[in-house]
């Protein structure tokens, strides 16, 4: 693979079976995961290894990386992946290659027979909370790296805390560089025990711990002969088997549908419909509410309530691009037609009747502060929740989380990478739901009203935090 | 494939319980893209879609027609014409715009060269020259959001791009200072003079695009499928013989069966030898390909390891 085959001679097609997989042709399911690690624990190498060994790296890319690796003194004149700098596969920006660091979250794609994967590769050392929160917010699973020589670090504990806070469905801990501790079972078991202990303390359940060597490939894609004492699955096998967030939550969550826009074409019909006289006439009065099912499912005939107005109606149609559906589930994008002509606008939420309490103008929340501009009490901000953006006044910052002790300490403000709690008064009522119970509808953004930048990831809480000595309960 | 499909008119739903089958990766990517397209249309005053007639922009337009059905696509399309485009692609562009009843804005590289505001490059490649007419068209039309068909799997710099990407008054992309993108909550706020590039198919791979084109039966310009063409070899690629791409001494012209994996400026886009004559052949070929799309076909991305990053920082697509 190290030399680029001449595309003029070969049409760029490998023999069937080298890369083509069943899901590559027919399309399997989609699984999103993120990686999180500390400095120099080999995360870029692990990502490079996953891409390389799952055959997601094509010859020309590998060729370029091999060339650069050789220029930098990697051993490379043979075709072994061990001899190239796998980190070069993921570090894309000029500054990253020059400085040998990873600056920003990078997205990678690969597929196996069972699944297509979207990988959010989150750098460990620059603004790690910002990056981990970003990657974890959409992830079905997060892979946390630990250096087998160092064990659980302060940053590992912080990562686990953030993942717990964001309710990432699955956490996998990869104990990397196991080759550098001579594939020692004893060393692995000690780290595994510590991981499980810390995870239990934080409240992360079902953590899977895998011994890997990203550099040598042990237990990443192929099970390793060097770790006979490890009988569990390899990392990729785990990622292929874990259920997605939607699979986990299907059937458990009530129906929620933030309205993105009202589709009411009147004179502006699609030309093919406008040209057909009879169809054009029937679509001229068409009115539907477009959005993406945020949670749960909806069927024709279901009773719905519009939030915040509280008006009720029945679903008479679920449309998608000319097709009439009987039922839609999260996260499908569809349009709903209702039995009543009621006032519904962008920002409203359509919910299954009888599943929602009261809308509120008081927001109690955890904030992951992602901006260099600090938060101060009295600040006026914008809150984006679902498809609605409203003004908010930060009445009080009620605490700051110590990610090492999980204690909530007193704070008057929040700085970059801080996680804290706050009370916010909203200009108008929102259908707020606790993030701990509703991952999709309990999340919001805090936006700077002046420059428009995103300041924080917000998670709705039930009750205001207590300043004094509260044992932090996520 | 998604389920519960009935071909009945929308006002007469057929009431019969249908088992929900798993949403596959294409269903999920489609749903995500439509959500993003609707968000941008709802939150911006003057969006537009970059439309070249290339497969990614054709896919984008197809998604837009689905997002607003039965209404028409509620924004114009913008094409930055290098003056070196394949005639069959321009023809396809015009037919598509006509069929969907859209307004087409064109930014012309040739006009900028004729006015002396852009200089032809020594290598004859006009792709990098598109940035100035692009930014000019955006400013002239006061577009505040511009949809593009860029995908993160195309290039290492694109892998770090946001789905909604803020551009400053100079159209510049600052990869070190991007907004965090959380959950599916997109922040498109911008100040006067700034605009946003929106990339709804960020998470699609080349193979996803082709599988979706096959599934939806989307029409593409014919040069994406195998055909006989007079070509010559240059820089490890097959170049079409045309007005702006003539063989130099020693470059022999041969007739080969080729197709295009990407369609850009004729002066820098290469063809690949291929017998894939149908969309299903292409899906199989792409699934088995050992070369990346851009590596196989784009001279402009071979200039340096950071060629795309440099162009993007200046305001390129």
């Amino acid at each position: 693979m190290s030399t680029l085959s001449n595309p003029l001679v070969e049409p760029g097609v490998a023999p069937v079976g080298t890369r083509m997989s069943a899901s590559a042709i027919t399309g399997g399911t989609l699984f999103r995961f993120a990686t999180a690690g500390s400095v120099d624990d080999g995360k870029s190498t692990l990502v490079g290894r996953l891409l390389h060994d799952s055959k997601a790296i094509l010859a020309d890319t590998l060729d370029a990386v091999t060339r650069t690796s050789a220029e930098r003194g990697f051993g490379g004149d043979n075709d072994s992946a061990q001899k190239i700098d796998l980190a070069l596969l993921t570090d894309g920006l000029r500054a990253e290659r020059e400085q040998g660091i990873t600056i920003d979250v990078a997205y990678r794609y690969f597929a196996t027979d069972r699944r297509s994967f979207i990988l959010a590769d989150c750098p460990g050392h620059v603004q790690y909370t910002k990056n981990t929160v970003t990657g974890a917010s959409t992830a079905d699973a997060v892979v946390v790296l630990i250096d087998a020589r160092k064990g659980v670090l302060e940053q590992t504990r912080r990562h686990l805390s953030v993942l717990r806070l964001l309710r990432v469905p699955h956490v996998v801990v990869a104990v990397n560089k196991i080759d550098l501790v001579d594939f020692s079972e004893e060393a692995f078991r000690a780290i595994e025990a510590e991981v499980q202990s810390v995870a239990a303390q934080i409240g992360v359940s079902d953590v899977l711990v895998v011994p890997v060597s990203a550099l040598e490939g042990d237990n990443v894609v192929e099970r390793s002969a060097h770790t006979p004492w490890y009988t569990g699955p390899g990392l990729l096998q785990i990622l292929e088997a874990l259920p997605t967030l939607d699979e986990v939550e299907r059937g458990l969550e009530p129906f929620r549908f933030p309205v993105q826009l009202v589709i009411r074409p009147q004179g502006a019909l699609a030309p093919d419909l406008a040209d057909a006289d009879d169809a054009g006439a029937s679509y001229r009065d068409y009115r539907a509410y477009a959005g993406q099912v945020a949670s749960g499912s909806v069927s024709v005939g279901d009773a719905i309530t519009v939030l915040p107005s509280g008006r009720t109606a029945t679903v008479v149609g679920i449309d998608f691009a000319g097709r009439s559906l009987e039922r839609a589930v999260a996260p499908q994008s569809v349009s709903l037609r209702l039995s009543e002509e009621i006032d519904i606008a962008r920002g409203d939420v359509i919910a299954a009747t009888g599943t929602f309490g009261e809308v509120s103008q008081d927001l109690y929340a955890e904030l992951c502060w992602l901006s260099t501009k600090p938060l101060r009490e009295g600040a006026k901000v914008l809150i984006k929740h679902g498809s609605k953006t409203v003004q908010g006044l930060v009445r009080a910052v009620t605490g700051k989380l110590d990610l090492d002790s999980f204690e909530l300490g007193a704070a008057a403000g929040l700085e970059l990478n801080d996680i804290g709690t706050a009370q916010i008064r909203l200009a108008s009522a929102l259908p707020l739901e606790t993030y701990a119970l509703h991952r999709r509808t309990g999340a919001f953004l805090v936006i700077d009203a002046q420059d428009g930048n995103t300041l924080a990831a917000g998670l709705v809480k039930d009750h205001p935090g207590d300043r004094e000595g509260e044992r932090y309960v996520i | 494939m998604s389920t519960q499909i009935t071909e009945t008119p929308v006002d007469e739903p057929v009431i019969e319980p249908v088992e929900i089958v798993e949403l596959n990766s294409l269903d999920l990517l489609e749903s995500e893209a439509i959500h993003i397209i609707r968000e941008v249309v709802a939150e911006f005053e003057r969006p537009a879609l970059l439309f070249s007639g290339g497969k990614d922009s054709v896919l984008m337009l197809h998604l837009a027609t689905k997002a607003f059905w039965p209404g028409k696509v509620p924004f114009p399309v913008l094409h930055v014409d290098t003056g070196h485009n394949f005639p069959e692609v321009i023809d396809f562009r015009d037919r598509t715009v006509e069929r969907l009843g859209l307004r087409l804005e064109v930014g012309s590289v040739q006009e900028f060269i004729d006015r002396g505001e852009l200089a032809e490059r020594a290598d004859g490649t006009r792709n990098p020259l598109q940035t100035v007419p692009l930014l000019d068209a955006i400013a002239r039309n006061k577009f505040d959001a511009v949809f593009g068909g860029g995908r993160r799997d195309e290039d290492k710099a694109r892998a770090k791009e946001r789905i909604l990407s803020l551009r400053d008054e100079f159209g510049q992309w600052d990869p070190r200072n991007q907004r965090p993108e959380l959950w599916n909550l997109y922040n498109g706020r911008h100040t006067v003079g700034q605009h946003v590039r929106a990339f709804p198919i960020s998470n699609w791979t080349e193979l996803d695009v082709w599988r979706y084109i096959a599934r939806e039966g989307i029409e593409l310009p014919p040069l994406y499928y195998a055909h006989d063409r007079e070509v010559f070899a240059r820089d490890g690629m097959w170049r079409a013989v045309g007005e702006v791409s003539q063989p130099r001494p020693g470059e022999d012209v041969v007739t080969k069966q080729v197709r295009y994996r990407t369609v850009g400026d004729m002066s820098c886009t290469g063809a690949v030898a291929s017998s894939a004559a149908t969309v299903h052949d292409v899906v199989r070929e792409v699934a088995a390909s050992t070369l990346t799309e851009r590596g196989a076909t784009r001279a402009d991305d071979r200039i340096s390891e950071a060629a795309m990053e440099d162009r993007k920082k200046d305001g390129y697509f």
Side-chain angles (χ1 to χ4, degrees):
Chain A
M1 288 283 280
S2 72
T3 53
L4 175 57
S5 58
N6 183 354
L8 294 177
V9 180
E10 300 292 328
V13 177
V16 173
T18 49
R19 186 169 168 261
M20 190 162 20
S21 61
S23 75
I25 295 297
T26 61
T29 57
L30 193 64
F31 192 80
R32 296 169 195 255
F33 73 104
T35 56
S38 310
V39 184
D40 294 334
D41 57 14
K43 193 169 52 56
S44 291
T45 308
L46 179 72
V47 171
R49 170 62 64 184
L50 269 174
L51 297 175
H52 179 270
D53 286 10
S54 62
K55 311 278 193 292
I57 305 297
L58 301 190
D60 52 339
T61 305
L62 195 64
D63 204 48
V65 167
T66 306
R67 259 196 325 270
T68 310
S69 299
E71 284 164 14
R72 295 186 183 178
F74 270 72
D77 59 352
N78 66 33
D79 62 359
S80 164
Q82 298 164 28
K83 305 301 179 203
I84 67 170
D85 184 357
L86 287 167
L88 290 173
L89 289 170
T90 58
D91 290 338
L93 301 175
R94 189 187 288 279
E96 292 176 324
R97 284 194 302 276
E98 284 169 4
Q99 298 169 35
I101 57 162
T102 310
I103 288 170
D104 197 5
V105 180
Y107 294 87
R108 303 287 159 192
Y109 304 85
F110 64 99
T112 67
D113 284 342
R114 301 185 57 177
R115 270 186 173 160
S116 298
F117 292 94
I118 299 177
L119 192 178
D121 184 15
C122 307
H125 46 341
V126 183
Q127 302 189 338
Y128 69 89
T129 301
K130 174 176 166 180
N131 293 320
T132 307
V133 168
T134 301
S137 71
T138 54
D140 297 307
V142 173
V143 177
V144 177
L145 263 84
I146 291 181
D147 187 326
R149 298 168 302 173
K150 296 178 185 162
V152 174
L153 300 176
E154 200 175 294
Q155 204 170 53
T156 315
R157 302 166 70 96
R158 293 182 176 188
H159 280 314
L160 290 172
S161 301
V162 170
L163 302 184
R164 173 70 181 94
L165 195 69
L166 288 173
R167 293 184 61 234
V168 173
H170 313 283
V171 175
V172 182
V173 173
V175 179
N176 190 25
K177 307 194 183 182
I178 197 75
D179 53 316
L180 297 183
V181 295
D182 298 324
F183 300 100
S184 156
E185 176 173 14
E186 201 186 351
F188 173 74
R189 296 293 174 212
I191 293 171
E192 183 184 34
E194 196 184 356
V195 167
Q196 296 294 4
S197 154
V198 171
Q201 194 188 348
I202 296 170
V204 185
S205 52
D206 301 326
V207 176
L208 294 165
V209 189
V210 198
V212 304
S213 166
L215 198 64
E216 306 287 336
D218 299 276
N219 295 326
V220 177
V221 171
E222 307 286 342
R223 286 284 307 281
S224 173
H226 296 118
T227 53
W229 41 265
Y230 175 75
T231 54
L235 182 60
L236 187 62
Q237 282 174 282
I238 292 172
L239 295 171
E240 281 189 315
L242 291 172
T244 65
L245 175 69
D246 287 307
E247 287 164 357
V248 170
E249 294 195 336
R250 191 154 297 163
L252 301 174
E253 292 272 302
F255 173 64
R256 299 287 184 266
F257 186 85
V259 174
Q260 289 188 275
L261 37 86
V262 181
I263 295 189
R264 206 166 145 256
Q266 294 179 305
L269 279 174
D272 55 330
L273 297 175
D275 292 347
D277 282 346
D278 46 340
S282 68
Y283 288 123
R284 237 169 271 286
D285 297 322
Y286 184 91
R287 184 190 188 92
Y289 306 97
Q292 186 175 33
V293 180
S295 68
S297 69
V298 63
S299 297
V300 173
D302 282 359
I304 59 91
T305 300
V306 180
L307 305 170
S309 73
R311 293 173 190 275
T312 59
T314 303
V315 176
V316 297
I318 304 170
D319 298 337
F320 179 61
R323 297 177 348 212
S324 199
L325 313 184
E326 202 48 47
R327 184 172 178 227
V329 302
Q332 281 181 292
S333 286
V334 293
S335 301
L336 302 183
R337 282 178 292 117
L338 303 179
S339 58
E340 316 290 323
E341 280 221 0
I342 48 182
D343 180 17
I344 302 177
R346 171 173 171 83
D348 290 345
V349 174
I350 297 176
T353 296
T355 62
F356 189 82
E358 292 198 357
V359 297
S360 172
Q361 263 184 278
D362 285 303
L363 167 60
Y364 301 111
E366 260 125 12
L367 301 178
C368 304
W369 203 255
L370 307 176
S371 169
T372 50
K373 190 188 260 188
L375 173 68
R376 297 285 173 249
E377 290 182 350
K380 277 195 178 150
V381 294
L382 296 171
I383 302 295
K384 181 163 189 181
H385 175 257
S387 52
K388 183 120 178 165
T389 303
V390 301
Q391 291 187 71
L393 172 67
V394 180
R395 296 210 309 210
V397 176
T398 50
K400 189 171 110 176
L401 183 64
D402 183 327
L403 286 174
D404 301 318
S405 65
F406 317 116
E407 300 286 342
L408 195 65
L414 296 174
E415 314 270 337
L416 175 67
N417 289 332
D418 283 349
I419 294 174
T421 53
Q423 296 182 12
I424 299 169
R425 177 70 178 174
L426 302 172
S428 56
L430 290 179
L432 301 167
E433 300 191 83
T434 316
Y435 187 85
L437 299 175
H438 306 279
R439 190 176 155 176
R440 289 262 165 72
T441 51
F444 63 92
L445 302 183
V446 181
I447 295 171
D448 189 310
Q450 267 70 52
D451 64 18
N453 284 327
T454 302
L455 298 171
L459 317 171
V460 180
K461 264 172 78 81
D462 260 340
H463 302 290
D466 185 348
R467 276 171 199 271
E468 310 283 345
E470 179 191 335
R471 173 72 193 163
Y472 197 72
V473 182
I474 297 170
Chain B
M1 299 293 283
S2 69
T3 54
Q4 341 92 1
I5 302 163
T6 55
E7 292 297 333
T8 53
V10 288
D11 35 346
E12 305 173 20
V14 174
I15 309 292
E16 58 182 41
V18 185
E19 190 66 21
I20 298 289
V21 179
E22 199 61 47
L23 298 172
N24 70 27
S25 59
L26 290 184
D27 299 324
L28 296 168
L29 291 169
E30 177 191 61
S31 175
E32 177 183 73
I34 286 175
H35 175 250
I36 295 160
I37 292 169
R38 287 169 168 175
E39 279 300 283
V40 170
V41 166
E43 293 215 326
F44 289 80
E45 297 284 322
R46 295 174 67 85
L49 168 70
L50 289 167
F51 185 70
S52 63
K55 68 178 191 314
D56 298 317
S57 68
V58 174
L59 169 66
M60 278 294 308
L61 199 48
H62 179 83
L63 290 165
T65 62
K66 294 186 89 164
F68 301 102
W69 180 95
K72 66 191 276 192
V73 174
F75 43 76
V77 296
L78 168 63
H79 182 216
V80 180
D81 186 348
T82 61
H84 290 171
N85 287 290
F86 292 91
E88 55 267 60
V89 178
I90 295 293
D91 176 59
F92 178 87
R93 178 197 76 182
D94 293 342
R95 276 193 295 118
T96 305
V97 166
E98 169 80 24
R99 176 171 62 82
L100 296 174
L102 302 175
R103 180 164 66 90
L104 170 69
E105 288 288 333
V106 177
S108 166
V109 172
Q110 188 64 53
E111 285 176 16
F112 276 77
I113 292 173
D114 293 345
R115 290 202 301 266
E117 292 171 34
L118 276 176
E120 197 85 71
R121 292 162 54 97
D123 61 8
T125 295
R126 283 188 172 181
N127 257 17
L129 302 185
Q130 292 179 92
T131 301
V132 171
L134 170 66
L135 295 176
D136 175 72
I138 290 170
R140 202 160 22 84
N141 291 283
K142 298 190 171 63
F143 293 137
D144 53 1
V146 181
F147 289 110
R151 309 189 322 266
R152 288 171 177 154
D153 83 321
E154 285 182 85
D155 177 89
K156 291 203 276 189
R158 286 219 160 135
K160 308 234 159 180
E161 179 66 277
R162 296 292 186 266
I163 286 172
L164 287 199
S165 182
L166 192 67
R167 300 301 157 100
D168 68 9
E169 293 80 348
F170 303 96
Q172 295 182 109
W173 178 57
D174 180 2
R176 302 193 68 162
N177 194 23
Q178 302 194 80
R179 289 176 181 168
E181 216 150 63
L182 300 150
W183 297 287
N184 64 349
L185 300 172
Y186 302 101
N187 175 8
R189 293 190 83 85
H190 57 284
T191 54
V192 175
Q194 295 178 329
H195 71 277
V196 164
R197 302 283 174 89
F199 300 104
I201 61 167
S202 285
N203 285 326
W204 298 50
T205 64
E206 183 190 14
L207 187 56
D208 293 326
V209 169
W210 277 106
R211 283 168 34 218
Y212 188 77
I213 287 167
R215 168 174 123 171
E216 303 279 305
I218 299 170
E219 188 194 350
L220 292 181
L223 45 64
Y224 277 107
Y225 302 106
H227 56 285
D228 287 332
R229 189 178 281 264
E230 284 197 326
V231 290
F232 59 91
R234 181 184 296 167
D235 301 336
M237 290 188 283
W238 290 112
R239 300 291 193 84
V241 178
E243 206 179 312
V244 296
S245 96
Q246 287 293 322
R248 298 173 191 140
E251 293 176 334
D252 295 332
V253 173
V254 290
T255 299
K256 282 195 75 78
Q257 194 179 30
V258 296
R259 71 173 200 89
Y260 285 84
R261 274 176 83 178
T262 67
V263 169
D265 188 88
M266 271 184 94
S267 63
C268 69
T269 305
V272 293
S274 170
S275 60
T278 69
V279 68
H280 297 288
D281 294 341
V282 173
V283 169
R284 273 190 291 276
E285 184 187 285
V286 170
S289 174
T290 60
L291 295 175
T292 61
E293 174 178 274
R294 287 193 164 262
T297 62
R298 288 297 179 94
D300 52 334
D301 287 323
R302 294 180 169 189
I303 294 167
S304 84
E305 265 202 284
M308 176 69 88
E309 178 183 347
D310 293 344
R311 288 206 306 277
K312 279 178 69 67
K313 280 179 175 168
D314 290 340
Y316 189 73
F317 304 117

